[in-house]
Amino acid sequence: FVDFDFGYISNNCSNLTISPSLSYKKIKFKINLDYLINNQSSLYTNQWDGIFDVLEKIEYLNLILFEDKFKLHLGEVKNLTFGHGYLLNRYGNNYNAPIDKNLGIVFRFKNSNNSFAYSLFASDLENLLDNKGLVGHHFSFLVSDLFPLRFGFGHVIDLNQFTNYEGEGFSRQIHGFESDFTFPLLASSRDSVLFIGEISGLRFPETRYYKRVDDDQFTNDKKSRNGTWGIAFPGIKYINKNFEFK
């Protein structure tokens, strides 16, 4: 199938988009080939100079293999969550679209009985080659069918928080970690109630020093830390076919 779209942006500038798409068995693909007509804006430009300029026009490329055990997504990343969302919650990689577009990748794997699951993502492949962007992975495992407690562990890295200020000579990498658990209190074909919890932490690349003042001679002194952490526990999550609440 091919979709055509013609729209007006500003200053007599129009945008023509041709979007061919394919859906065949376990493969789904869509790319948005856009071109600006009579463009006089400094924000919106026709980007066709390099290979990534073309690849970043891919909206999605979804590939499912090995009886749904292996899933690969290439393109725009939407609503990506690790664990219960205390560290990474509904993340998307195209916050500045359509001015900037990113070619993200999400890889998922699970075994036949879903007792083990693994996810890996990168916010933008072009940035990743330049040691920039956001990358992370998460894995979880089920203790047993008789005791269906699931543990999960995640790790997210911002390779350079100052990517947009590289010309100023700034660079800073930060790591985030999380550990989560899920235990079903009630499970049926219609809805389920889960007992959940998660602990998350951030590790700074440097040690931060501060002075805590609370009018106590034993605590009015210099402190230091190289990260921060938080905990979301205890928690209840309700899920049915129409919505979820926690």
Side-chain angles (χ1 to χ4, degrees), residues 137-153:
H137 62 108
H138 179 272
F139 73 92
S140 65
F141 65 91
L142 192 68
V143 174
S144 71
D145 292 333
L146 296 177
F147 187 66
L149 176 64
R150 178 176 290 272
F151 286 106
F153 301 91

Side-chain angles (χ1 to χ4, degrees), residues 106-146:
V106 180
F107 164 80
R108 301 181 190 273
F109 171 80
K110 65 178 182 180
N111 60 356
S112 57
N113 63 358
N114 200 30
S115 61
F116 176 81
Y118 179 77
S119 299
L120 172 71
F121 86 95
S123 62
D124 183 61
L125 291 182
E126 185 178 17
N127 279 339
L128 184 61
L129 295 177
D130 294 329
N131 200 32
K132 299 184 293 186
L134 201 69
V135 296
H137 62 108
H138 179 272
F139 73 92
S140 65
F141 65 91
L142 192 68
V143 174
S144 71
D145 292 333
L146 296 177

Side-chain angles (χ1 to χ4, degrees), residues 7 34 54 69 90 94 115 130 133 136 139 154 166 168 182 185 189-190 192 196 206 214 216-217 236:
D34 57 344
V54 178
K69 297 184 183 68
R90 301 180 65 185
N94 275 342
S115 61
D130 294 329
F139 73 92
E166 287 184 306
E168 306 296 328
T182 305
L185 300 176
S189 59
R190 298 181 57 185
S192 58
I196 63 173
E206 68 283 321
D214 57 5
D216 190 314
Q217 62 176 335
I236 298 294

Side-chain angles (χ1 to χ4, degrees), residues 91-103:
Y91 170 75
N93 68 337
N94 275 342
Y95 66 93
N96 203 29
I99 298 175
D100 292 321
K101 298 178 182 178
N102 296 316
L103 182 68

